[in-house]
Amino acid sequence: MKLNERSLAFYATCDAPVDNAGFLYKKGGRHAAYHRRWFVLRGNMLFYFEDAASREPVGVIILEGCTVELVEAAEEFAFAVRFAGTRARTYVLAAESQDAMEGWVKALSRASFDYLR
């Protein structure tokens, strides 16, 4: 399958049902600050936007082969999306409530194709 920014943006914002959506706090890659972003989970792609009204995603995380686990962090209700490998990035996210965190952890764990092995 060939994907480009335009097709990803369309897929991220199309009217088809989503697997999960809502606000999460995302820890910056280079900076330790958390930023509130709107997240949309479709299949094994986790899109994030500046806010819920945005029409183009700021980024996308392909969840294939990831693990999702709770972590100790400055933010309450934090969890991490980790990938295998020494240079692989870990995404630290935080929900706004315990219920939201549990829902996201379950949805993201199901979205990773690695759990089928």
Side-chain angles (χ1 to χ4, degrees):
M1 172 182 355
K2 289 186 177 183
L3 295 173
N4 60 31
E5 283 186 35
R6 189 173 175 173
S7 61
L8 277 176
F10 173 78
Y11 182 61
T13 59
C14 70
D15 291 333
V18 300
D19 296 309
N20 205 3
F23 283 105
L24 292 172
Y25 293 91
K26 179 182 168 292
K27 188 172 184 178
R30 293 183 205 138
H31 308 291
Y34 282 85
H35 301 280
R36 189 172 188 248
R37 300 285 186 244
W38 179 255
F39 281 79
V40 173
L41 176 62
R42 290 183 186 272
N44 71 334
M45 289 188 244
L46 181 62
F47 298 95
Y48 53 98
F49 301 81
E50 287 286 334
D51 56 49
S54 296
R55 295 301 300 161
E56 289 201 22
V58 175
V60 61
I61 303 168
I62 308 299
L63 298 170
E64 187 171 345
C66 74
T67 58
V68 184
E69 57 196 52
L70 302 181
V71 294
E72 293 289 325
E75 290 290 320
E76 197 172 13
F77 313 120
F79 57 96
V81 177
R82 296 187 193 278
F83 295 89
T86 56
R87 300 191 63 127
R89 177 156 178 207
T90 296
Y91 294 87
V92 178
L93 307 170
E96 295 180 333
S97 70
Q98 181 73 27
D99 287 342
M101 179 193 67
E102 290 172 5
W104 275 107
V105 168
K106 185 182 291 185
L108 295 172
S109 296
R110 279 194 312 255
S112 170
F113 291 162
D114 193 45
Y115 86 100
L116 297 173
R117 291 183 187 161

